[in-house]
Amino acid sequence: MKKTTEKLYFTLGIETSCDETSAAVVVNGREVLSNIISSQIPLHQKFGGVVPEIASRKHIENVIPVVDEALRQANITLKEINAIGVTYGPGLVGALLVGVAAAKALAFAAELPLVGVNHLEGHIFANFLAHPELEPPFMALVVSGGHTSLVYVKNYNEFELVGQTRDDAAGEAFDKVARVMGLPYPGGPHIDRLAAAGNPEAISFPRALNDKNSFEFSFSGLKSAVLNYLNSAAQRGEVIRHEDVAASFQAAIVDVLVTKALQAVQQYGTNQLVLAGGVAANGMLKTKLASACMDMEVQLYYPSPVLCTDNAAMIACRTYYQYQGGKVADLYLNAVPSLKIGGNDKN
Ligand code: KG4
Ligand code: ZN
């Protein structure tokens, strides 16, 4: 642990919104002292996706041991923590409730402030852990299993939702297409790997809502187009090059994300773009965004893969900034499965 004369604020973050039980300790919102992630992916894999009931049960088993381990690795006691933050939405209600109940109990027992964190704001804040020089304002592209949104981050506690998906999220499209191609859950990393050996121009898949003035996304048509392509090719007895399907599908998603993100950057007059959420780990997305940003003299930020997917360090980071801004919750904090970004002034 750091020894300096500067006042140090230690935040404990807890994340249980989906299929990762995670706890982390962060100092002054920027330095990760521990980030323990207990993934349930192998448990859900045989079902092809997350089973909410199983996720809740596993969170109950894991949450306290994971918190203990996070404190132990950070070499800190609960009494030395300054605030406890927990994801209270969006996510699976039963899964969220486990983290919220655990955080409330710990905050009550240790007489600590409790902070309710929006999971998507957490994803964006992962970038503050990865990039010490990063400061708002900036445009953020949040691409996860459940969400695809463009968010203008005005300052540490003010956000404007610029646009979001009308139907499937980008990660959801990756997972559904992967599933019909016989790849394991979660499919995003598998498509990413397969696509690296394929031709992104082999098949022309649709780019929905790709007009200049729209910041909305739609990926369900693309998903259906891939399914139709696979079915028709199979019926005609054609040989399907899965690498080309993966690369062409991925190119269609990435094209739309890159175009809209840079249009939003231009419209809001910022020169910083932040990438966040599980799909931010995608190789082609990072490469294409980096080259488009270079052309437009925009600084691109994205976290390391472990901070892209669900983790509690990002929640502990967000907790610090909410706590500094006085956005503290009380023990009535409840899970809000469809929580909107920026829609949580009370917490
Ligand atoms: O942010 P996250 O861990 O959980 C949610 O909040 O949803 O995102 C998980 C999503 C999954 O859909 C997964 O397939 C996708 O992120 N993902 C990727 C990659 N790594 C994870 N998608 C594309 N390429 C990747 N390398
Ligand atoms: Zn997430």
Side-chain angles (χ1 to χ4, degrees), residues 166-209:
R166 286 186 186 174
D167 41 55
D168 288 356
E172 194 178 352
F174 268 101
D175 294 344
K176 286 178 176 169
V177 164
R179 191 172 170 166
V180 293
M181 289 171 72
L183 299 168
Y185 171 84
H190 296 279
I191 299 253
D192 193 353
R193 270 193 293 277
L194 200 59
N199 173 9
E201 285 161 17
I203 309 148
S204 167
F205 288 129
R207 274 86 167 144
L209 304 174

mmCIF file of all heavy atoms in Angstrom, residues 166-209:
data_model
loop_
_atom_site.group_PDB
_atom_site.id
_atom_site.type_symbol
_atom_site.label_atom_id
_atom_site.label_comp_id
_atom_site.label_asym_id
_atom_site.label_seq_id
_atom_site.Cartn_x
_atom_site.Cartn_y
_atom_site.Cartn_z
ATOM 1 N N ARG A 166 -31.484 0.083 -30.787
ATOM 2 C CA ARG A 166 -32.944 -0.088 -30.737
ATOM 3 C C ARG A 166 -33.307 -1.530 -30.415
ATOM 4 O O ARG A 166 -34.447 -1.822 -30.064
ATOM 5 C CB ARG A 166 -33.524 0.201 -32.122
ATOM 6 C CG ARG A 166 -33.542 1.634 -32.489
ATOM 7 C CD ARG A 166 -34.284 1.746 -33.796
ATOM 8 N NE ARG A 166 -34.221 3.112 -34.301
ATOM 9 C CZ ARG A 166 -34.693 3.467 -35.474
ATOM 10 N NH1 ARG A 166 -35.243 2.573 -36.280
ATOM 11 N NH2 ARG A 166 -34.616 4.713 -35.871
ATOM 12 N N ASP A 167 -32.366 -2.450 -30.645
ATOM 13 C CA ASP A 167 -32.702 -3.871 -30.435
ATOM 14 C C ASP A 167 -31.522 -4.595 -29.779
ATOM 15 O O ASP A 167 -31.258 -4.373 -28.614
ATOM 16 C CB ASP A 167 -33.152 -4.522 -31.766
ATOM 17 C CG ASP A 167 -32.305 -4.069 -32.957
ATOM 18 O OD1 ASP A 167 -31.079 -4.220 -32.869
ATOM 19 O OD2 ASP A 167 -32.861 -3.578 -33.959
ATOM 20 N N ASP A 168 -30.819 -5.443 -30.531
ATOM 21 C CA ASP A 168 -29.714 -6.210 -29.929
ATOM 22 C C ASP A 168 -28.515 -5.307 -29.631
ATOM 23 O O ASP A 168 -28.251 -4.354 -30.358
ATOM 24 C CB ASP A 168 -29.233 -7.295 -30.910
ATOM 25 C CG ASP A 168 -30.229 -8.430 -31.034
ATOM 26 O OD1 ASP A 168 -31.237 -8.413 -30.309
ATOM 27 O OD2 ASP A 168 -29.996 -9.328 -31.860
ATOM 28 N N ALA A 169 -27.782 -5.660 -28.580
ATOM 29 C CA ALA A 169 -26.498 -5.003 -28.313
ATOM 30 C C ALA A 169 -25.436 -5.659 -29.198
ATOM 31 O O ALA A 169 -25.630 -6.779 -29.684
ATOM 32 C CB ALA A 169 -26.128 -5.179 -26.845
ATOM 33 N N ALA A 170 -24.313 -4.961 -29.389
ATOM 34 C CA ALA A 170 -23.245 -5.503 -30.238
ATOM 35 C C ALA A 170 -22.770 -6.864 -29.718
ATOM 36 O O ALA A 170 -22.650 -7.836 -30.475
ATOM 37 C CB ALA A 170 -22.090 -4.517 -30.313
ATOM 38 N N GLY A 171 -22.525 -6.959 -28.406
ATOM 39 C CA GLY A 171 -22.037 -8.215 -27.830
ATOM 40 C C GLY A 171 -23.060 -9.337 -27.967
ATOM 41 O O GLY A 171 -22.699 -10.499 -28.207
ATOM 42 N N GLU A 172 -24.334 -8.960 -27.843
ATOM 43 C CA GLU A 172 -25.412 -9.941 -27.983
ATOM 44 C C GLU A 172 -25.407 -10.513 -29.414
ATOM 45 O O GLU A 172 -25.569 -11.719 -29.617
ATOM 46 C CB GLU A 172 -26.715 -9.181 -27.727
ATOM 47 C CG GLU A 172 -27.940 -9.992 -27.495
ATOM 48 C CD GLU A 172 -29.130 -9.067 -27.208
ATOM 49 O OE1 GLU A 172 -28.957 -7.835 -27.040
ATOM 50 O OE2 GLU A 172 -30.255 -9.599 -27.181
ATOM 51 N N ALA A 173 -25.196 -9.633 -30.413
ATOM 52 C CA ALA A 173 -25.130 -10.084 -31.810
ATOM 53 C C ALA A 173 -23.936 -11.026 -31.987
ATOM 54 O O ALA A 173 -24.064 -12.093 -32.608
ATOM 55 C CB ALA A 173 -25.023 -8.884 -32.736
ATOM 56 N N PHE A 174 -22.792 -10.670 -31.413
ATOM 57 C CA PHE A 174 -21.613 -11.557 -31.480
ATOM 58 C C PHE A 174 -21.972 -12.926 -30.883
ATOM 59 O O PHE A 174 -21.673 -13.965 -31.466
ATOM 60 C CB PHE A 174 -20.442 -10.958 -30.673
ATOM 61 C CG PHE A 174 -19.505 -10.098 -31.482
ATOM 62 C CD1 PHE A 174 -19.585 -8.711 -31.429
ATOM 63 C CD2 PHE A 174 -18.533 -10.671 -32.288
ATOM 64 C CE1 PHE A 174 -18.704 -7.916 -32.162
ATOM 65 C CE2 PHE A 174 -17.648 -9.887 -33.029
ATOM 66 C CZ PHE A 174 -17.749 -8.494 -32.960
ATOM 67 N N ASP A 175 -22.605 -12.908 -29.707
ATOM 68 C CA ASP A 175 -22.893 -14.170 -29.011
ATOM 69 C C ASP A 175 -23.912 -15.023 -29.777
ATOM 70 O O ASP A 175 -23.780 -16.249 -29.841
ATOM 71 C CB ASP A 175 -23.392 -13.885 -27.585
ATOM 72 C CG ASP A 175 -22.313 -13.246 -26.713
ATOM 73 O OD1 ASP A 175 -21.124 -13.314 -27.104
ATOM 74 O OD2 ASP A 175 -22.648 -12.664 -25.668
ATOM 75 N N LYS A 176 -24.946 -14.359 -30.358
ATOM 76 C CA LYS A 176 -25.983 -15.131 -31.069
ATOM 77 C C LYS A 176 -25.439 -15.729 -32.364
ATOM 78 O O LYS A 176 -25.731 -16.874 -32.705
ATOM 79 C CB LYS A 176 -27.190 -14.237 -31.346
ATOM 80 C CG LYS A 176 -28.009 -13.955 -30.081
ATOM 81 C CD LYS A 176 -29.177 -13.040 -30.359
ATOM 82 C CE LYS A 176 -30.047 -12.854 -29.115
ATOM 83 N NZ LYS A 176 -31.023 -11.768 -29.295
ATOM 84 N N VAL A 177 -24.654 -14.938 -33.096
ATOM 85 C CA VAL A 177 -24.074 -15.449 -34.347
ATOM 86 C C VAL A 177 -23.100 -16.592 -34.033
ATOM 87 O O VAL A 177 -23.093 -17.635 -34.691
ATOM 88 C CB VAL A 177 -23.394 -14.303 -35.142
ATOM 89 C CG1 VAL A 177 -22.477 -14.841 -36.216
ATOM 90 C CG2 VAL A 177 -24.457 -13.393 -35.751
ATOM 91 N N ALA A 178 -22.302 -16.410 -32.972
ATOM 92 C CA ALA A 178 -21.345 -17.453 -32.585
ATOM 93 C C ALA A 178 -22.088 -18.751 -32.261
ATOM 94 O O ALA A 178 -21.651 -19.844 -32.632
ATOM 95 C CB ALA A 178 -20.536 -16.990 -31.380
ATOM 96 N N ARG A 179 -23.212 -18.605 -31.593
ATOM 97 C CA ARG A 179 -23.974 -19.790 -31.172
ATOM 98 C C ARG A 179 -24.430 -20.601 -32.386
ATOM 99 O O ARG A 179 -24.279 -21.823 -32.407
ATOM 100 C CB ARG A 179 -25.175 -19.328 -30.348
ATOM 101 C CG ARG A 179 -25.867 -20.440 -29.648
ATOM 102 C CD ARG A 179 -26.903 -19.897 -28.703
ATOM 103 N NE ARG A 179 -27.712 -21.001 -28.208
ATOM 104 C CZ ARG A 179 -28.512 -20.914 -27.182
ATOM 105 N NH1 ARG A 179 -28.633 -19.789 -26.521
ATOM 106 N NH2 ARG A 179 -29.213 -21.953 -26.786
ATOM 107 N N VAL A 180 -24.961 -19.919 -33.421
ATOM 108 C CA VAL A 180 -25.398 -20.692 -34.598
ATOM 109 C C VAL A 180 -24.212 -21.244 -35.382
ATOM 110 O O VAL A 180 -24.364 -22.191 -36.140
ATOM 111 C CB VAL A 180 -26.331 -19.890 -35.542
ATOM 112 C CG1 VAL A 180 -27.644 -19.588 -34.903
ATOM 113 C CG2 VAL A 180 -25.676 -18.641 -36.059
ATOM 114 N N MET A 181 -23.042 -20.655 -35.165
ATOM 115 C CA MET A 181 -21.848 -21.209 -35.833
ATOM 116 C C MET A 181 -21.204 -22.316 -35.003
ATOM 117 O O MET A 181 -20.134 -22.825 -35.339
ATOM 118 C CB MET A 181 -20.837 -20.087 -36.100
ATOM 119 C CG MET A 181 -21.309 -19.147 -37.207
ATOM 120 S SD MET A 181 -20.270 -17.673 -37.371
ATOM 121 C CE MET A 181 -18.806 -18.368 -38.078
ATOM 122 N N GLY A 182 -21.862 -22.668 -33.883
ATOM 123 C CA GLY A 182 -21.378 -23.779 -33.056
ATOM 124 C C GLY A 182 -20.220 -23.409 -32.153
ATOM 125 O O GLY A 182 -19.496 -24.282 -31.664
ATOM 126 N N LEU A 183 -20.023 -22.098 -31.913
ATOM 127 C CA LEU A 183 -18.918 -21.668 -31.048
ATOM 128 C C LEU A 183 -19.412 -21.531 -29.612
ATOM 129 O O LEU A 183 -20.581 -21.216 -29.385
ATOM 130 C CB LEU A 183 -18.374 -20.315 -31.537
ATOM 131 C CG LEU A 183 -17.796 -20.318 -32.959
ATOM 132 C CD1 LEU A 183 -17.567 -18.898 -33.464
ATOM 133 C CD2 LEU A 183 -16.477 -21.094 -32.974
ATOM 134 N N PRO A 184 -18.537 -21.714 -28.607
ATOM 135 C CA PRO A 184 -18.966 -21.657 -27.206
ATOM 136 C C PRO A 184 -19.340 -20.244 -26.751
ATOM 137 O O PRO A 184 -18.920 -19.260 -27.360
ATOM 138 C CB PRO A 184 -17.751 -22.151 -26.412
ATOM 139 C CG PRO A 184 -16.709 -22.520 -27.387
ATOM 140 C CD PRO A 184 -17.106 -22.026 -28.739
ATOM 141 N N TYR A 185 -20.100 -20.171 -25.644
ATOM 142 C CA TYR A 185 -20.457 -18.895 -25.009
ATOM 143 C C TYR A 185 -19.306 -18.428 -24.110
ATOM 144 O O TYR A 185 -18.714 -19.265 -23.441
ATOM 145 C CB TYR A 185 -21.728 -19.065 -24.170
ATOM 146 C CG TYR A 185 -22.024 -17.859 -23.314
ATOM 147 C CD1 TYR A 185 -22.703 -16.785 -23.854
ATOM 148 C CD2 TYR A 185 -21.547 -17.763 -22.000
ATOM 149 C CE1 TYR A 185 -22.923 -15.652 -23.098
ATOM 150 C CE2 TYR A 185 -21.764 -16.629 -21.248
ATOM 151 C CZ TYR A 185 -22.446 -15.581 -21.798
ATOM 152 O OH TYR A 185 -22.653 -14.458 -21.063
ATOM 153 N N PRO A 186 -18.975 -17.160 -24.014
ATOM 154 C CA PRO A 186 -19.475 -16.067 -24.844
ATOM 155 C C PRO A 186 -18.746 -16.047 -26.185
ATOM 156 O O PRO A 186 -17.527 -16.233 -26.250
ATOM 157 C CB PRO A 186 -19.149 -14.828 -24.009
ATOM 158 C CG PRO A 186 -17.988 -15.216 -23.147
ATOM 159 C CD PRO A 186 -18.046 -16.712 -22.966
ATOM 160 N N GLY A 187 -19.505 -15.788 -27.242
ATOM 161 C CA GLY A 187 -18.984 -15.994 -28.593
ATOM 162 C C GLY A 187 -18.057 -14.911 -29.111
ATOM 163 O O GLY A 187 -17.282 -15.166 -30.034
ATOM 164 N N GLY A 188 -18.125 -13.695 -28.525
ATOM 165 C CA GLY A 188 -17.338 -12.574 -29.042
ATOM 166 C C GLY A 188 -15.863 -12.903 -29.254
ATOM 167 O O GLY A 188 -15.348 -12.752 -30.371
ATOM 168 N N PRO A 189 -15.163 -13.392 -28.212
ATOM 169 C CA PRO A 189 -13.732 -13.672 -28.395
ATOM 170 C C PRO A 189 -13.482 -14.753 -29.456
ATOM 171 O O PRO A 189 -12.458 -14.711 -30.155
ATOM 172 C CB PRO A 189 -13.287 -14.162 -27.013
ATOM 173 C CG PRO A 189 -14.344 -13.718 -26.062
ATOM 174 C CD PRO A 189 -15.607 -13.572 -26.831
ATOM 175 N N HIS A 190 -14.401 -15.713 -29.607
ATOM 176 C CA HIS A 190 -14.219 -16.788 -30.601
ATOM 177 C C HIS A 190 -14.373 -16.239 -32.024
ATOM 178 O O HIS A 190 -13.608 -16.590 -32.924
ATOM 179 C CB HIS A 190 -15.212 -17.925 -30.346
ATOM 180 C CG HIS A 190 -14.986 -18.587 -29.022
ATOM 181 N ND1 HIS A 190 -14.015 -19.538 -28.825
ATOM 182 C CD2 HIS A 190 -15.558 -18.378 -27.825
ATOM 183 C CE1 HIS A 190 -14.014 -19.914 -27.554
ATOM 184 N NE2 HIS A 190 -14.953 -19.214 -26.922
ATOM 185 N N ILE A 191 -15.378 -15.372 -32.222
ATOM 186 C CA ILE A 191 -15.562 -14.739 -33.544
ATOM 187 C C ILE A 191 -14.328 -13.891 -33.855
ATOM 188 O O ILE A 191 -13.823 -13.900 -34.980
ATOM 189 C CB ILE A 191 -16.829 -13.852 -33.557
ATOM 190 C CG1 ILE A 191 -18.078 -14.694 -33.281
ATOM 191 C CG2 ILE A 191 -16.924 -13.042 -34.848
ATOM 192 C CD1 ILE A 191 -18.984 -14.952 -34.439
ATOM 193 N N ASP A 192 -13.862 -13.158 -32.851
ATOM 194 C CA ASP A 192 -12.677 -12.299 -32.991
ATOM 195 C C ASP A 192 -11.499 -13.129 -33.526
ATOM 196 O O ASP A 192 -10.854 -12.773 -34.513
ATOM 197 C CB ASP A 192 -12.357 -11.725 -31.590
ATOM 198 C CG ASP A 192 -11.356 -10.579 -31.622
ATOM 199 O OD1 ASP A 192 -10.805 -10.309 -32.691
ATOM 200 O OD2 ASP A 192 -11.123 -9.967 -30.561
ATOM 201 N N ARG A 193 -11.254 -14.280 -32.903
ATOM 202 C CA ARG A 193 -10.123 -15.138 -33.306
ATOM 203 C C ARG A 193 -10.323 -15.722 -34.697
ATOM 204 O O ARG A 193 -9.427 -15.707 -35.529
ATOM 205 C CB ARG A 193 -9.932 -16.281 -32.298
ATOM 206 C CG ARG A 193 -8.975 -15.918 -31.164
ATOM 207 C CD ARG A 193 -8.572 -17.147 -30.374
ATOM 208 N NE ARG A 193 -9.705 -17.713 -29.649
ATOM 209 C CZ ARG A 193 -10.123 -17.278 -28.462
ATOM 210 N NH1 ARG A 193 -9.504 -16.278 -27.870
ATOM 211 N NH2 ARG A 193 -11.154 -17.845 -27.863
ATOM 212 N N LEU A 194 -11.550 -16.223 -34.949
ATOM 213 C CA LEU A 194 -11.859 -16.845 -36.241
ATOM 214 C C LEU A 194 -11.740 -15.811 -37.356
ATOM 215 O O LEU A 194 -11.215 -16.088 -38.437
ATOM 216 C CB LEU A 194 -13.302 -17.388 -36.159
ATOM 217 C CG LEU A 194 -13.755 -18.452 -37.131
ATOM 218 C CD1 LEU A 194 -12.881 -19.686 -37.025
ATOM 219 C CD2 LEU A 194 -15.214 -18.833 -36.829
ATOM 220 N N ALA A 195 -12.232 -14.607 -37.088
ATOM 221 C CA ALA A 195 -12.258 -13.542 -38.095
ATOM 222 C C ALA A 195 -10.855 -13.152 -38.547
ATOM 223 O O ALA A 195 -10.661 -12.725 -39.687
ATOM 224 C CB ALA A 195 -12.986 -12.321 -37.536
ATOM 225 N N ALA A 196 -9.889 -13.318 -37.641
ATOM 226 C CA ALA A 196 -8.514 -12.920 -37.975
ATOM 227 C C ALA A 196 -7.991 -13.714 -39.165
ATOM 228 O O ALA A 196 -7.108 -13.254 -39.902
ATOM 229 C CB ALA A 196 -7.617 -13.115 -36.760
ATOM 230 N N ALA A 197 -8.562 -14.916 -39.411
ATOM 231 C CA ALA A 197 -8.101 -15.744 -40.528
ATOM 232 C C ALA A 197 -9.038 -15.639 -41.737
ATOM 233 O O ALA A 197 -8.905 -16.390 -42.703
ATOM 234 C CB ALA A 197 -8.007 -17.198 -40.068
ATOM 235 N N GLY A 198 -10.016 -14.733 -41.670
ATOM 236 C CA GLY A 198 -11.008 -14.652 -42.749
ATOM 237 C C GLY A 198 -10.913 -13.370 -43.546
ATOM 238 O O GLY A 198 -10.153 -12.455 -43.214
ATOM 239 N N ASN A 199 -11.743 -13.314 -44.629
ATOM 240 C CA ASN A 199 -11.785 -12.140 -45.494
ATOM 241 C C ASN A 199 -13.012 -11.296 -45.139
ATOM 242 O O ASN A 199 -14.141 -11.729 -45.359
ATOM 243 C CB ASN A 199 -11.846 -12.620 -46.955
ATOM 244 C CG ASN A 199 -12.067 -11.475 -47.921
ATOM 245 O OD1 ASN A 199 -12.015 -10.301 -47.533
ATOM 246 N ND2 ASN A 199 -12.318 -11.822 -49.174
ATOM 247 N N PRO A 200 -12.818 -10.078 -44.610
ATOM 248 C CA PRO A 200 -13.966 -9.270 -44.183
ATOM 249 C C PRO A 200 -14.834 -8.781 -45.344
ATOM 250 O O PRO A 200 -15.938 -8.281 -45.122
ATOM 251 C CB PRO A 200 -13.312 -8.081 -43.448
ATOM 252 C CG PRO A 200 -11.891 -8.070 -43.870
ATOM 253 C CD PRO A 200 -11.533 -9.445 -44.315
ATOM 254 N N GLU A 201 -14.313 -8.932 -46.579
ATOM 255 C CA GLU A 201 -15.109 -8.482 -47.741
ATOM 256 C C GLU A 201 -15.749 -9.651 -48.472
ATOM 257 O O GLU A 201 -16.364 -9.472 -49.525
ATOM 258 C CB GLU A 201 -14.224 -7.688 -48.700
ATOM 259 C CG GLU A 201 -13.943 -6.293 -48.160
ATOM 260 C CD GLU A 201 -12.749 -5.640 -48.801
ATOM 261 O OE1 GLU A 201 -12.305 -6.097 -49.867
ATOM 262 O OE2 GLU A 201 -12.256 -4.678 -48.195
ATOM 263 N N ALA A 202 -15.633 -10.857 -47.938
ATOM 264 C CA ALA A 202 -16.132 -12.043 -48.648
ATOM 265 C C ALA A 202 -17.653 -12.005 -48.811
ATOM 266 O O ALA A 202 -18.187 -12.363 -49.858
ATOM 267 C CB ALA A 202 -15.699 -13.304 -47.900
ATOM 268 N N ILE A 203 -18.368 -11.566 -47.792
ATOM 269 C CA ILE A 203 -19.843 -11.548 -47.829
ATOM 270 C C ILE A 203 -20.302 -10.145 -47.448
ATOM 271 O O ILE A 203 -19.791 -9.565 -46.490
ATOM 272 C CB ILE A 203 -20.428 -12.576 -46.827
ATOM 273 C CG1 ILE A 203 -19.780 -13.948 -47.029
ATOM 274 C CG2 ILE A 203 -21.949 -12.679 -46.962
ATOM 275 C CD1 ILE A 203 -19.657 -14.747 -45.759
ATOM 276 N N SER A 204 -21.288 -9.645 -48.206
ATOM 277 C CA SER A 204 -21.756 -8.292 -47.908
ATOM 278 C C SER A 204 -22.962 -8.354 -46.961
ATOM 279 O O SER A 204 -24.056 -8.721 -47.365
ATOM 280 C CB SER A 204 -22.116 -7.618 -49.225
ATOM 281 O OG SER A 204 -22.828 -6.464 -48.964
ATOM 282 N N PHE A 205 -22.736 -8.034 -45.687
ATOM 283 C CA PHE A 205 -23.816 -8.019 -44.701
ATOM 284 C C PHE A 205 -24.287 -6.574 -44.481
ATOM 285 O O PHE A 205 -23.504 -5.632 -44.660
ATOM 286 C CB PHE A 205 -23.341 -8.645 -43.381
ATOM 287 C CG PHE A 205 -23.173 -10.138 -43.440
ATOM 288 C CD1 PHE A 205 -21.989 -10.738 -43.019
ATOM 289 C CD2 PHE A 205 -24.203 -10.958 -43.914
ATOM 290 C CE1 PHE A 205 -21.831 -12.119 -43.068
ATOM 291 C CE2 PHE A 205 -24.046 -12.339 -43.972
ATOM 292 C CZ PHE A 205 -22.860 -12.922 -43.557
ATOM 293 N N PRO A 206 -25.583 -6.395 -44.089
ATOM 294 C CA PRO A 206 -26.124 -5.026 -43.998
ATOM 295 C C PRO A 206 -25.545 -4.195 -42.858
ATOM 296 O O PRO A 206 -25.170 -4.723 -41.817
ATOM 297 C CB PRO A 206 -27.623 -5.268 -43.758
ATOM 298 C CG PRO A 206 -27.708 -6.620 -43.166
ATOM 299 C CD PRO A 206 -26.568 -7.421 -43.726
ATOM 300 N N ARG A 207 -25.456 -2.875 -43.093
ATOM 301 C CA ARG A 207 -25.059 -1.885 -42.079
ATOM 302 C C ARG A 207 -26.307 -1.043 -41.819
ATOM 303 O O ARG A 207 -26.630 -0.158 -42.619
ATOM 304 C CB ARG A 207 -23.958 -0.961 -42.612
ATOM 305 C CG ARG A 207 -22.545 -1.478 -42.442
ATOM 306 C CD ARG A 207 -22.119 -2.383 -43.576
ATOM 307 N NE ARG A 207 -20.672 -2.635 -43.560
ATOM 308 C CZ ARG A 207 -20.112 -3.787 -43.899
ATOM 309 N NH1 ARG A 207 -20.865 -4.830 -44.245
ATOM 310 N NH2 ARG A 207 -18.811 -3.919 -43.891
ATOM 311 N N ALA A 208 -27.003 -1.325 -40.713
ATOM 312 C CA ALA A 208 -28.289 -0.650 -40.463
ATOM 313 C C ALA A 208 -28.090 0.757 -39.904
ATOM 314 O O ALA A 208 -27.099 1.023 -39.236
ATOM 315 C CB ALA A 208 -29.117 -1.466 -39.480
ATOM 316 N N LEU A 209 -29.050 1.627 -40.203
ATOM 317 C CA LEU A 209 -29.112 3.005 -39.661
ATOM 318 C C LEU A 209 -27.790 3.740 -39.839
ATOM 319 O O LEU A 209 -27.398 4.520 -38.984
ATOM 320 C CB LEU A 209 -29.487 2.992 -38.167
ATOM 321 C CG LEU A 209 -30.781 2.290 -37.774
ATOM 322 C CD1 LEU A 209 -30.918 2.256 -36.252
ATOM 323 C CD2 LEU A 209 -31.979 3.010 -38.362
#
